[in-house]
Amino acid sequence: MAGKAVLITGASRGIGLAVAERLAQDGYDLALVARDEARLRAAAASLAGKVRIETWVCDVADAATVDGVVAAANEAFGGIYGLVNNAGVTADGLILRMSVENWRRVIDVNLTGTFNFTRAVAPLMMRQRQGRIVNISSVIGLAGNAGQANYAASKAGVIALTKSVAKELGGRQVTVNAIAPGFVTTDMTAGLGDQTKADMLRAIPLKRFGEGRDIAGVVAFLLSPDAAWLTGQTVVCDGGMTM
Ligand code: NAI
């Protein structure tokens, strides 16, 4: 994969960092984007030496900044082969108590952030007549979840966005797919209560929570030549929790 650059959002920790580690092993050059500068620098330092790495601190919800980051990454690497829209947040609450701010922030980051990066890379991938976009959705976007109406709606939106853009860009050999992870051990899930975790574990046929590398392996496949004829799909990766 030498000479191919992949831009990963939310790459400073968790699933995004695991994806960066895996893609560095596969030989991709990496454009790493996240909001938290210190952790992003630490993540880049931990990968240094393997492949070419550039970092950009950016709020994915800010369209103007995103356009600038994509232009800079395209310039730096001489093209962008892949985009992994991974940045995401939660702001849980039952619908009766959910504030408009918490609704809006989750939609802005998870859904509009994915739109912002997708729109920014689309013209250059179309010109290249090749490209891969992988969007990180969630099983919650398929099944819904009490207390996560904002998050579920954002992740369902990502799946619909994935299918629509796959139809628009397919003629230029740009594929667009989504991954719907189940419970993965990261900072995002660290705060869940012991009872919730025990209940979830019982519902997972493979009897363990996911690790970042479980999702990274699917990302690597979707970026690889083996996935050339696969677009508009949502790959559920959740230890069998939803079937
Ligand atoms: P995390 O909280 O550990 O990491 C989130 C990353 O996104 C960080 O790098 C953070 O800097 C970045 N980020 C957040 N808001 C941002 C913004 N506005 N602009 C730029 N970067 C921003 O989360 P985790 O668990 O690694 O999740 C990654 C993705 O996977 C998210 O989209 C999440 O919704 C999704 N996911 C996670 C699951 C889990 O069980 N951990 C399950 C299903 C989906």
Side-chain angles (χ1 to χ4, degrees), residues 9-16 33-36 58-61 85-90 105 109-110 136-139 151 155 180-189:
T9 69
S12 63
R13 63 184 202 218
I15 293 171
V33 171
R35 208 180 27 178
D36 41 348
C58 156
D59 182 345
V60 298
N85 279 308
N86 165 78
V89 291
T90 54
R105 184 67 189 152
V109 174
N110 299 3
I136 306 300
S137 176
S138 168
V139 290
Y151 184 77
K155 293 300 189 178
F183 187 107
V184 181
T185 308
T186 67
D187 289 356
M188 184 178 272
T189 47

Side-chain angles (χ1 to χ4, degrees), residues 15-240:
I15 293 171
L17 178 55
V19 169
E21 285 164 354
R22 170 60 197 263
L23 297 188
Q25 273 170 27
D26 288 356
Y28 293 100
D29 291 329
L30 297 177
L32 306 182
V33 171
R35 208 180 27 178
D36 41 348
E37 185 169 6
R39 288 190 75 160
L40 181 61
R41 287 199 194 296
S46 74
L47 295 165
K50 295 191 180 120
V51 292
R52 183 162 168 213
I53 294 169
E54 303 284 346
T55 59
W56 281 274
V57 177
C58 156
D59 182 345
V60 298
D62 180 349
T65 311
V66 168
D67 287 346
V69 167
V70 167
N74 188 41
E75 174 84 25
F77 291 102
I80 298 175
Y81 167 74
L83 165 66
V84 182
N85 279 308
N86 165 78
V89 291
T90 54
D92 297 351
L94 295 170
I95 193 76
L96 292 177
R97 285 190 231 121
M98 185 174 287
S99 66
V100 173
E101 288 71 32
N102 280 351
W103 168 266
R104 207 168 265 156
R105 184 67 189 152
V106 170
I107 297 291
D108 282 354
V109 174
N110 299 3
L111 180 55
T112 309
T114 300
F115 160 77
N116 285 339
F117 268 98
T118 301
R119 188 182 66 157
V121 301
L124 58 101
M125 286 186 176
M126 288 172 82
R127 270 199 306 278
Q128 291 169 179
R129 293 185 180 273
Q130 74 165 2
R132 301 287 172 91
I133 300 175
V134 180
N135 296 325
I136 306 300
S137 176
S138 168
V139 290
I140 303 301
L142 295 165
N145 195 25
Q148 290 197 302
N150 50 0
Y151 184 77
S154 74
K155 293 300 189 178
V158 165
I159 291 172
L161 173 69
T162 300
K163 293 178 184 175
S164 301
V165 182
K167 289 182 177 179
E168 290 186 26
L169 303 188
R172 301 293 181 101
Q173 301 308 309
V174 177
T175 71
V176 192
N177 291 289
I179 301 172
F183 187 107
V184 181
T185 308
T186 67
D187 289 356
M188 184 178 272
T189 47
L192 293 177
D194 289 345
Q195 190 57 48
T196 307
K197 285 185 185 168
D199 290 346
M200 292 185 80
L201 197 54
R202 260 196 302 281
I204 300 175
L206 288 175
K207 295 297 165 209
R208 67 171 176 87
F209 296 132
E211 301 290 334
R213 63 176 172 274
D214 293 312
I215 310 306
V218 183
V219 173
F221 165 67
L222 291 172
L223 292 171
S224 76
D226 286 341
W229 205 49
L230 204 161
T231 197
Q233 303 305 306
T234 300
V235 181
V236 177
C237 184
D238 67 349

